[in-house]
Amino acid sequence: MQDEQSTLRAIPRPTLERLPKYLNYLRARSERGCAQTSSAAIARDMHLTSVQVRKDLAYITSGKPRVGYDTDQLVERLEHFLRCDSARDAVLVGAGRLGKALLSYEGFGNYHLRILAAFDSDEALSETTVHGKPVFPVSRLTSLTARLSALIGIIAVPSQSAQEVCDALVQGGVRGILNFAPVYLHVPEGVVVRNEDIAADLALLANSIQEETSDMASGEGAEYKEGSL
Amino acid sequence: MQDEQSTLRAIPRPTLERLPKYLNYLRARSERGCAQTSSAAIARDMHLTSVQVRKDLAYITSGKPRVGYDTDQLVERLEHFLRCDSARDAVLVGAGRLGKALLSYEGFGNYHLRILAAFDSDEALSETTVHGKPVFPVSRLTSLTARLSALIGIIAVPSQSAQEVCDALVQGGVRGILNFAPVYLHVPEGVVVRNEDIAADLALLANSIQEETSDMASGEGAEYKEGSL
DNA sequence: TAGATTGTTAATCGATTAACAATC
DNA sequence: TAGATTGTTAATCGATTAACAATC
């Protein structure tokens, strides 16, 4: 023992975060009919180095020297690894604009994730459906989550109620939480939280633009010709 | 020379990504009336170590031994650093559900970011407004972006049209792109892209739940008592 | 002054990169 | 066989952590 299991866990975090991106890229490549894919090609298009690509991919499959990787097989392996069965049913709390957008989002299907139901404190929304998914009053959150055996909760409510909702989800048996409210959630050991702060990301982007600007001043600047500066 | 500038650029990426989280946390603390904040308190609530907190904060301010940091001053410094003036106007492309959710999102105001206008290929949406923001036909994307001097573009269109939209934004003078489509965008040197793949994030979360499960089997498991297993 | 907290310098840890070996 | 590509082992780089010094 200690093999299969700990091999899986040995994957470094940064590598793990790149795996879905490889998957997206390779799916597109597969659709374009490219049967083989070399690490050099991936590296070029994804702005990585080919060594890094090979090292990442070595965790989940192996390629053929002189030929590269079989595109479809690689897609399959990545899909298999990333979805690893079970733990793919989620409930969503907060059927406001963001919540509705998430309920309607088709992209989750790419990873075999399903949002089973939504909850909202606005009673007027109860018994309605969004994109075919039922909305329930938030009072039923814990009991229904448990009944549905959802292991994932998505929080799309205002910051003030986020912790409360989080507690209810945990009590309902959720083991992972995707949190769109910009607050730190306190959860018991064994529950994983992933924070999604879009505003913060946008702020960091705006920030890096300024750095770029200073960079330009101190050299570099290739490829970018455009009238005066 | 070489001081102010390179000090700013010397901030490590991971530290930079934590800064907005400190800001969120400290704002909440300030509202609760906590005038002083120690690195130990931040570390405890944000699941970091106090050394790391002090090291991070040292990049932008300094605290007082024996007392800690002045909460409000720290908030101010973080705000000043994170928003660094200019480069805060954005345009958004794709006024579907996600686009509308982003247009209505109040959270951007926390970082003084403004979405000035939206664009959509559906002509029926033109001349309407969402949350008070005008929607224009996508044909006017390049020219209006340039006219508005927006430096940031937000892409919330389907994958197939993302690259096309990206090119138009770049031509309009955008220097940073927040991309919600799960594809790699090719941009000229000097343009920064930040990818936001919510589905991928959710997949990784689902994945880490499984790992947690294996962890449980091999020990740990404190704090989590709940009937049978 | 004593004690608690910040700040810094050195050691550790982990990921990336470089050099090279293996293979079809 | 020759050559192109993968895979691996060692070196580098950068961030975190630990130990300690500085300060109110």
Side-chain angles (χ1 to χ4, degrees), chain A residues 28-171:
Chain A
R29 232 180 120 80
S30 169
E31 268 174 34
R32 285 205 310 278
C34 305
Q36 305 294 329
T37 306
S38 74
S39 59
I42 302 177
R44 170 173 35 79
D45 292 336
M46 289 180 55
H47 301 287
L48 301 168
T49 70
S50 65
V51 194
Q52 189 165 49
V53 172
R54 288 199 295 281
K55 203 151 204 185
D56 283 347
L57 296 184
Y59 285 104
I60 55 163
T61 191
S62 62
K64 295 199 191 101
R66 166 98 230 218
V67 189
Y69 300 83
D70 181 289
T71 310
D72 287 330
Q73 186 196 327
L74 195 41
V75 166
E76 235 168 70
R77 293 297 187 94
L78 280 164
E79 283 177 344
H80 173 75
F81 179 84
L82 284 172
R83 75 169 67 123
C84 302
D85 332 312
S86 89
R88 324 243 31 123
D89 284 340
V91 293
L92 179 144
V93 195
R97 298 218 191 228
L98 179 59
K100 282 190 180 118
L102 294 170
L103 285 170
S104 317
Y105 186 48
E106 309 281 354
F108 293 131
N110 290 339
Y111 299 97
H112 283 203
L113 295 159
R114 274 185 311 179
I115 301 180
L116 301 175
F119 296 86
D120 201 286
S121 58
D122 182 356
E123 299 281 335
L125 290 173
S126 295
E127 306 302 319
T128 67
T129 66
V130 176
H131 200 70
K133 280 150 191 168
V135 182
F136 298 103
V138 79
S139 56
R140 301 181 62 191
L141 178 52
T142 297
S143 61
L144 267 179
T145 300
R147 178 117 58 93
L148 294 166
S149 307
L151 293 182
I152 297 172
I154 303 173
I155 298 183
V157 302
S159 297
Q160 307 91 285
S161 28
Q163 182 64 57
E164 191 182 343
V165 162
C166 172
D167 294 342
L169 283 167
V170 169
Q171 219 191 327

Side-chain angles (χ1 to χ4, degrees), chain A residues 5 8-9 16-17 20-21 24 45-47 81-88 97-98 100-102 104-105 107-108 111 113 130 151-152 154 170-171 173-178 180 182 184-186 188-216 218 222-224 226, chain B residues 5 8-9 16-17 20-21 24 45-47 81-88 97-98 100-102 104-105 107-108 111 113 130 151-152 154 170-171 174-178 180 182 184-186 188-216 218 220 222-224 226:
Chain A
Q5 283 288 339
L8 286 178
R9 262 205 287 117
L16 208 60
E17 309 239 318
K21 308 193 180 199
N24 284 329
D45 292 336
M46 289 180 55
H47 301 287
F81 179 84
L82 284 172
R83 75 169 67 123
C84 302
D85 332 312
S86 89
R88 324 243 31 123
R97 298 218 191 228
L98 179 59
K100 282 190 180 118
L102 294 170
S104 317
Y105 186 48
F108 293 131
Y111 299 97
L113 295 159
V130 176
L151 293 182
I152 297 172
I154 303 173
V170 169
Q171 219 191 327
V174 150
R175 299 262 306 292
I177 290 174
L178 191 65
F180 284 89
Y184 259 79
L185 296 175
H186 297 278
E189 191 103 356
V191 177
V192 189
V193 176
R194 180 151 188 139
N195 293 297
E196 205 80 39
D197 189 342
I198 296 170
D201 290 340
L202 191 49
L204 288 174
L205 177 71
N207 225 267
S208 65
I209 288 177
Q210 268 130 5
E211 280 185 29
E212 276 286 323
T213 313
S214 343
D215 282 17
M216 299 266 105
S218 60
E223 183 145 348
Y224 210 51
E226 193 99 327
Chain B
Q5 283 288 337
L8 286 179
R9 267 213 277 119
L16 208 61
E17 309 239 319
K21 309 194 179 199
N24 284 329
D45 292 336
M46 289 180 55
H47 301 285
F81 180 84
L82 284 172
R83 76 169 68 123
C84 306
D85 332 313
S86 89
R88 324 247 27 128
R97 298 216 190 230
L98 179 60
K100 282 190 180 118
L102 293 170
S104 316
Y105 187 48
F108 294 130
Y111 299 98
L113 295 158
V130 176
L151 293 182
I152 297 171
I154 302 173
V170 169
Q171 220 191 327
V174 151
R175 299 262 306 291
I177 290 174
L178 191 65
F180 284 89
Y184 259 79
L185 297 176
H186 297 277
E189 191 103 355
V191 176
V192 189
V193 176
R194 180 148 188 142
N195 293 297
E196 205 80 40
D197 188 344
I198 296 170
D201 289 340
L202 190 49
L204 287 174
L205 177 70
N207 225 268
S208 66
I209 288 177
Q210 268 129 5
E211 281 184 29
E212 276 286 323
T213 312
S214 343
D215 283 16
M216 299 266 106
S218 61
E220 317 281 315
E223 186 143 347
Y224 210 51
E226 193 99 326

Side-chain angles (χ1 to χ4, degrees), chain B residues 73-96:
Chain B
Q73 186 197 326
L74 195 40
V75 166
E76 235 169 70
R77 292 298 185 94
L78 281 164
E79 283 178 344
H80 173 72
F81 180 84
L82 284 172
R83 76 169 68 123
C84 306
D85 332 313
S86 89
R88 324 247 27 128
D89 285 340
V91 294
L92 179 143
V93 195

